[in-house]
Amino acid sequence: MKMSGWLSAWLGAGVAPVLLLAACSAPAPPNFHSLVPPVAGARAAASPALPAWQLLPVSIPAQVDQPQLVVRRADDTFALFEQQRWIAPLNEEIRAALGEHLTATLGTPGAAPAAGRKDWRIAVDVQRFDSTPGRSTLVALWALLAGGDTPALRCLSVYEQTVGAGIPALVGGHRLALEQLSASIAQTLTALDAGRAAGCPPSPP
């Protein structure tokens, strides 16, 4: 069927610019972030002197359990950054980051305990995971369990990092806090496994 002159002109002059405008205004693809260190650290060599351990699933506050990064504004409202996302669910990102650091100190998880030694489980409950312009805050309740469900030690750790501007800086602050948390857990677990008295380590100033 032959197209009428006015229809042809309408398609040429109207639809094409609209389609072009739609193509130009398409949203940019999201940026994905991870809390796992960008470079894997050295693994502790397998040794009977190392404790047997495993890291349980990590719990996080519902407010930040989102694919997008959640940022607290200065007026105490929150912004959900649609184009800034975690590469995996946030609780899994935190667990993977902690596991990476713990493995570097304590060796591979899941090994059978040496004779007379305990099989440790590490429980981490993140109480706060705040991102505010210029500062990241991590508050975590963690426990070391051996045998039953009664903790051998339960601690509350608080980490605040002053960071630069921008989302990558906030992510970097959280990554550093998780590294510090894992160091505290590993140091305490090593002492308890060796039969030494150990208390909750102080949080950084």
Side-chain angles (χ1 to χ4, degrees):
M1 179 183 295
K2 186 174 182 181
M3 197 177 296
S4 64
W6 69 267
L7 181 58
S8 176
W10 178 77
L11 286 173
V15 174
V18 169
L19 292 176
L20 181 60
L21 180 60
C24 291
S25 61
N31 297 311
F32 290 96
H33 303 274
S34 177
L35 295 169
V36 178
V39 178
R43 297 291 198 267
S47 167
L50 292 174
W53 66 280
Q54 60 175 313
L55 178 62
L56 300 176
V58 174
S59 59
I60 61 174
Q63 295 89 334
V64 294
D65 190 9
Q66 308 287 340
Q68 304 89 347
L69 270 76
V70 180
V71 175
R72 185 191 291 264
R73 300 189 182 100
D75 62 359
D76 217 24
T77 60
F78 291 85
L80 197 69
F81 282 74
E82 187 63 36
Q83 299 304 108
Q84 307 292 338
R85 298 179 171 236
W86 299 112
I87 193 68
L90 181 57
N91 64 323
E92 295 181 13
E93 276 289 302
I94 293 174
R95 187 185 186 199
L98 290 173
E100 182 78 17
H101 292 302
L102 290 170
T103 299
T105 305
L106 303 176
T108 304
R117 304 280 283 281
K118 297 177 179 178
D119 192 1
W120 294 96
R121 289 175 295 148
I122 303 169
V124 177
D125 179 8
V126 175
Q127 306 283 297
R128 292 184 62 178
F129 189 88
D130 288 353
S131 304
T132 57
R135 189 176 75 254
S136 62
T137 302
L138 172 69
V139 180
L141 178 66
W142 52 276
L144 303 176
L145 305 98
D149 292 330
T150 301
L153 186 68
R154 188 192 301 270
C155 299
L156 181 69
S157 296
V158 179
Y159 302 93
E160 288 195 335
Q161 312 289 342
T162 300
V163 301
I167 295 296
L170 280 172
V171 173
H174 286 304
R175 194 181 291 132
L176 177 58
L178 292 170
E179 181 179 358
Q180 293 173 333
L181 173 59
S182 66
S184 294
I185 294 173
Q187 179 181 4
T188 307
L189 176 55
T190 300
L192 289 176
D193 187 64
R196 301 193 302 270
C200 294
S203 298

